[in-house]
Amino acid sequence: MPQSHSNIKGAFHVLTRILVLLLGTSLITFVHAQSDMVECTFQSTYTSLEGRGLYIQSGITMSKGLTTQAFMIDLSKSWTIDSPSIKKLASGTGWNYFPSGISSDGKNWYTLKNDRGEFYDSTTNTWKEKFRLYIQGAFGLTGATDHANDMLYIPFAFPNANRRIAMLRINLKNGDTQSDDRPFSLSKQSLYATAWNPLRKSLIYVGTSGVFEYTWENGWKPFFTKGLDTISPSGSCLVSVSGGKKMALYGGMTQDRKDTTADLYILNLSKKGKEGWTKVPMDPKQKSLYSRKEAACGSSGDQIIIWGGTATSGDYLDTSLIIFLTRQGIHVMNIMVRSLSNTKDAPRLLTRVMVFFLAASLILSAHAQSDKLDCVFHPTYTSLEGRGLYIQSGLVADKQAHYSNQTFMIDLSKSWNANNPSIKRLADGYLSNYFPSGISSDGKSWYVLKGDQGVLYNTTANTWTEKFRLYIQGAASLTGATDQANDMLYIPFAFPNANRRIAMLRINLRNGDTDSDNRPFSLSVQNRYATAWNPLRKSLIYVGTSGVFEYTWEKGWKPFFNKGLDTIHLYGSCLVSVSGGKKMALYGGVTQDDKGTTADLYILELSKKGKEGWTKVPVDAKKKSLYSRKGAACGSSNDQVIIWGGSATTGLDKPVCPSQRTIVFNTKTMKWTDRYVASK
């Protein structure tokens, strides 16, 4: 049973006072350094500069979800791991797990997300948009920085006009970009790790395809694998150490993807002809301390600095920061040094204190499980005619975006007022905002896809279970369309097949079987499009920056009706079929200049052959603020379009929940209405 916020808060204060009395002020200093200054995150965007700093931006926190925090762990001075030297920077973009790089003078820090490059100026402590450049599925990609020439290399990007897989190179001094389009067939996305080796002047790649080396002049070639008997590339990190004489591969998921690993491999490159990887021995008693995935990693001198990350299933870490000293082979020490000195074991007491505080914060988080729903944008959702609009996860629109794992259904089998819809809470799900999903026609099986994970919600048992493992390139912000007559979910732009070609993925919602269509197409991908299934035409409809298209499994893609669709707001918009496919509705999103949200609603009439076309619905200027939103969950039933949630603003840093979460549009009367009417 949920506890009251006041009672929990009071209990936490009592526990805090007891802890202070027992442990004294020195531990308060530790807690301040680890907790109050910065939050422990995983999947952060980061980069490192030898002898200067480990720069960390965004990431997912255990307490609040996505954060915009940005800071630097100072590598120019010595410190202990219980009180590292940290410098807070201006809040960043909220772009977690994206490639980034910093110039050799420490002034220019670039981070990239899909079609945008953001630039942090360390001189003025400000962030600003630097350039527009399309990068396919940037989430989970990693980059490697050649600091000698101030070049950031990002494999597996799509920066060029014909969308071919490329190596993207960005000049960190001026932002100029180039791409290398020579083909290669390596595993992509978050299933690999990269780093620049300054000694060999090359990018090193470790992935499920093996270990490879890349140079701009010569392309790809195999690299040293001796001694690397187990590769756990998902969520691992790779760094160069000692000027490139050594490299370190750390952490990630085990090969069966059921646990995190503490594996640390050191590659020695200093002795020609004897290059090879050595696995660092691990004390079983301390394995839980070192096992983590999706941490931020850097190096300085002979030391590897690892910050944050998460243990299995997103559990808290015992401590935020660990260090490995490659010269002496000591796994963890409590002092980061500029010049080598004696080391000690990691302080056990401080570890226990960190666990205590994190456990206490978990008590506080129970308050979020109350019956009141978070207002979210970019949720994962799907709709079933006459049954329900199913909504899961999303970013909470309250001052600063963070993830919610709430799951619920808006009941479409009964009538209700828009200001008080009929809602049924479901078992909390995964943190899977903005991912493709679909529900079977009987309403029993709801599939949600997140990266390489397919999870199933069983409506009968009210439980979530992992259904299958299937790699989906850049699943975040992909959308799917469900053919409920045949219980098939279609997801364009996925990479489910062995050769990683762009494909249409089809998932059977009755048994989870999958197949893919690899016929090439050249449509705009990722979060700049919307899709829906049209049951009348038995096809998937796509609206994107490339235009309007129709897809069938048998015939592939062809152009679709676009008459009357003079303005398309694609990011954060939604598309639904209405009245059995006789109509379609395209709603909301971000304006074309990306400076605001829109209330635009277009209705496509398909019932009159030869007169098909889109009609823009007039909006009352006084109610424009009510209807303007992006990232809403959308569904349809009984000739009505049902819209829930979303954000009234464009950014992640200050999202605003719309003044009324649920709005309804009646396509028969062509008017917004205050009531949803179920079919009889």
Side-chain angles (χ1 to χ4, degrees):
M1 179 178 293
Q3 300 180 51
S4 71
H5 183 68
S6 59
N7 289 341
I8 296 170
K9 188 174 181 180
F12 182 73
H13 284 319
V14 171
L15 292 173
T16 303
R17 293 190 187 103
I18 293 172
L19 188 64
V20 170
L21 289 172
L22 289 174
L23 300 177
T25 56
S26 62
L27 294 186
I28 298 173
T29 303
F30 158 73
V31 173
H32 177 75
Q34 290 290 327
S35 178
D36 291 347
M37 178 170 273
V38 292
E39 295 180 280
C40 183
T41 58
F42 63 100
Q43 287 190 0
S44 58
T45 293
Y46 67 92
T47 189
S48 180
L49 185 56
E50 169 79 22
R52 297 284 290 272
L54 174 56
Y55 298 77
I56 302 172
Q57 194 266 132
S58 188
I60 300 174
T61 70
M62 293 301 176
S63 59
K64 297 180 180 178
L66 190 66
T67 178
T68 58
Q69 74 178 9
F71 64 98
M72 177 195 73
I73 298 178
D74 193 344
L75 303 182
S76 68
K77 58 182 68 172
S78 302
W79 38 258
T80 58
I81 63 168
D82 59 330
S83 186
S85 178
I86 290 177
K87 179 182 179 182
K88 287 292 292 281
L89 309 176
S91 292
T93 59
W95 295 352
N96 67 302
Y97 220 24
F98 286 94
S100 77
I102 195 165
S103 59
S104 56
D105 59 10
K107 293 182 178 180
N108 303 334
W109 179 12
Y110 285 86
T111 65
L112 294 101
K113 178 184 179 182
N114 296 339
D115 64 342
R116 190 177 301 176
E118 289 280 343
F119 165 69
Y120 173 76
D121 186 332
S122 63
T123 307
T124 59
N125 190 31
T126 56
W127 291 87
K128 59 183 178 181
E129 184 177 305
K130 185 65 177 179
F131 52 82
R132 290 276 182 174
L133 177 71
Y134 190 76
I135 301 177
Q136 159 74 10
F139 180 82
L141 294 182
T142 66
T145 305
D146 170 13
H147 283 124
N149 297 291
D150 279 334
M151 292 290 184
L152 170 62
Y153 291 80
I154 306 173
F156 319 124
F158 279 66
N160 51 327
N162 60 6
R163 302 300 191 212
R164 287 177 53 202
I165 291 176
M167 172 69 78
L168 175 65
R169 183 168 73 168
I170 300 176
N171 188 315
L172 296 175
K173 294 176 182 175
N174 56 27
D176 289 346
T177 61
Q178 296 174 285
S179 62
D180 174 3
D181 301 331
R182 286 173 288 188
F184 50 85
S185 57
L186 308 182
S187 60
K188 301 182 281 295
Q189 205 68 0
S190 56
L191 295 182
Y192 75 95
T194 60
W196 186 264
N197 187 291
L199 183 66
R200 298 181 64 89
K201 301 177 182 178
S202 62
L203 177 146
I204 308 302
Y205 160 104
V206 181
T208 50
S209 302
V211 187
F212 293 86
E213 183 177 30
Y214 172 88
T215 62
W216 190 259
E217 297 73 23
N218 300 319
W220 295 92
K221 68 176 183 179
F223 196 57
F224 305 107
T225 58
K226 183 181 177 181
L228 196 61
D229 50 8
T230 304
I231 303 177
S232 307
S234 179
S236 63
C237 60
L238 182 69
V239 294
S240 288
V241 193
S242 307
K245 294 178 182 178
K246 296 177 181 179
M247 299 200 74
L249 177 67
Y250 167 76
M253 295 291 290
T254 54
Q255 286 191 318
D256 61 8
R257 298 186 59 78
K258 293 181 179 179
D259 199 358
T260 50
T261 178
D263 288 352
L264 175 63
Y265 289 87
I266 303 297
L267 172 62
N268 195 325
L269 295 169
S270 60
K271 297 179 181 179
K272 195 171 183 179
K274 296 185 178 181
E275 299 89 349
W277 297 84
T278 301
K279 187 175 181 178
V280 175
M282 168 59 56
D283 181 352
K285 295 179 181 179
Q286 294 186 322
K287 187 177 180 181
S288 62
L289 172 64
Y290 308 137
S291 294
R292 58 185 76 186
K293 67 174 181 175
E294 297 160 353
C297 304
S299 68
S300 187
D302 298 310
Q303 298 154 103
I304 304 161
I305 299 89
I306 300 158
W307 190 90
T310 178
T312 308
S313 303
D315 293 337
Y316 283 101
L317 297 168
D318 283 355
T319 183
S320 298
L321 194 65
I322 55 177
I323 298 174
F324 180 80
L325 187 58
T326 61
R327 185 178 297 185
Q328 296 182 4
I330 299 172
H331 197 95
V332 170
M333 63 179 195
N334 74 329
I335 302 174
M336 187 278 173
V337 288
R338 293 179 65 187
S339 58
L340 295 175
S341 63
N342 295 329
T343 62
K344 302 177 182 179
D345 292 332
R348 304 283 300 190
L349 179 60
L350 295 182
T351 297
R352 295 192 187 104
V353 173
M354 193 62 173
V355 171
F356 177 88
F357 262 79
L358 292 174
S361 66
L362 279 174
I363 297 172
L364 280 174
S365 69
H367 180 68
Q369 300 300 320
S370 66
D371 291 336
K372 186 179 179 181
L373 290 172
D374 292 324
C375 181
V376 300
F377 63 106
H378 291 326
T380 292
Y381 67 92
T382 189
S383 180
L384 186 56
E385 171 81 22
R387 297 284 290 272
L389 174 55
Y390 298 78
I391 303 172
Q392 198 268 320
S393 191
L395 290 161
V396 181
D398 59 355
K399 298 180 181 179
Q400 180 173 313
H402 60 270
Y403 289 104
S404 169
N405 64 352
Q406 72 183 10
T407 307
F408 64 98
M409 176 195 76
I410 298 178
D411 193 345
L412 302 181
S413 67
K414 58 182 68 174
S415 301
W416 38 259
N417 293 326
N419 60 3
N420 188 27
S422 177
I423 289 177
K424 179 183 178 181
R425 287 296 295 261
L426 308 177
D428 286 343
Y430 290 64
L431 295 176
S432 56
N433 70 299
Y434 218 22
F435 285 94
S437 78
I439 194 166
S440 58
S441 56
D442 60 9
K444 293 182 178 179
S445 304
W446 178 12
Y447 284 85
V448 175
L449 293 103
K450 180 182 179 182
D452 61 346
Q453 192 175 27
V455 293
L456 167 69
Y457 174 75
N458 186 313
T459 59
T460 306
N462 192 29
T463 56
W464 291 89
T465 56
E466 183 177 307
K467 187 64 178 179
F468 53 83
R469 289 280 180 177
L470 178 71
Y471 188 74
I472 300 179
Q473 160 77 9
S477 73
L478 293 182
T479 66
T482 305
D483 170 13
Q484 282 162 347
N486 297 292
D487 279 337
M488 291 289 184
L489 170 62
Y490 291 81
I491 306 173
F493 320 125
F495 279 68
N497 50 327
N499 61 6
R500 303 302 192 207
R501 287 177 55 201
I502 290 178
M504 172 69 77
L505 175 65
R506 184 170 70 169
I507 300 175
N508 188 316
L509 297 175
R510 295 170 186 164
N511 56 26
D513 289 346
T514 62
D515 53 5
S516 60
D517 174 5
N518 300 320
R519 286 173 289 188
F521 52 85
S522 57
L523 308 183
S524 60
V525 293
Q526 206 65 3
N527 55 10
R528 296 278 167 175
Y529 74 97
T531 61
W533 187 263
N534 187 291
L536 182 66
R537 299 182 63 89
K538 300 177 182 179
S539 62
L540 177 147
I541 308 302
Y542 160 104
V543 181
T545 50
S546 301
V548 187
F549 293 85
E550 181 177 31
Y551 172 89
T552 62
W553 190 258
E554 297 74 24
K555 297 181 180 180
W557 296 92
K558 68 176 183 179
F560 195 58
F561 305 107
N562 60 10
K563 182 181 177 181
L565 197 60
D566 50 9
T567 305
I568 303 177
H569 305 287
L570 299 163
Y571 177 65
S573 63
C574 61
L575 181 70
V576 295
S577 288
V578 192
S579 306
K582 294 178 182 178
K583 297 178 181 180
M584 299 198 75
L586 177 67
Y587 166 76
V590 176
T591 54
Q592 287 189 319
D593 60 8
D594 281 352
K595 292 182 179 180
T597 54
T598 178
D600 287 355
L601 175 63
Y602 290 86
I603 303 297
L604 172 63
E605 177 62 61
L606 293 170
S607 61
K608 299 177 182 178
K609 195 171 183 179
K611 296 184 179 181
E612 299 89 348
W614 297 84
T615 300
K616 187 175 181 180
V617 176
V619 61
D620 184 345
K622 295 179 181 179
K623 291 188 176 182
K624 189 175 181 181
S625 61
L626 169 63
Y627 303 137
S628 295
R629 60 186 76 185
K630 68 159 189 179
C634 303
S636 69
S637 187
N638 195 28
D639 302 312
Q640 296 153 97
V641 182
I642 299 92
I643 299 158
W644 186 92
S647 173
T649 56
T650 59
L652 287 175
D653 54 343
K654 293 181 180 179
V656 175
C657 182
S659 57
Q660 182 175 306
R661 299 184 189 183
T662 310
I663 51 177
V664 179
F665 183 82
N666 190 314
T667 61
K668 277 191 172 181
T669 63
M670 291 295 283
K671 292 181 179 180
W672 292 99
T673 176
D674 293 329
R675 183 168 174 80
Y676 164 74
V677 180
S679 58
K680 297 179 180 179

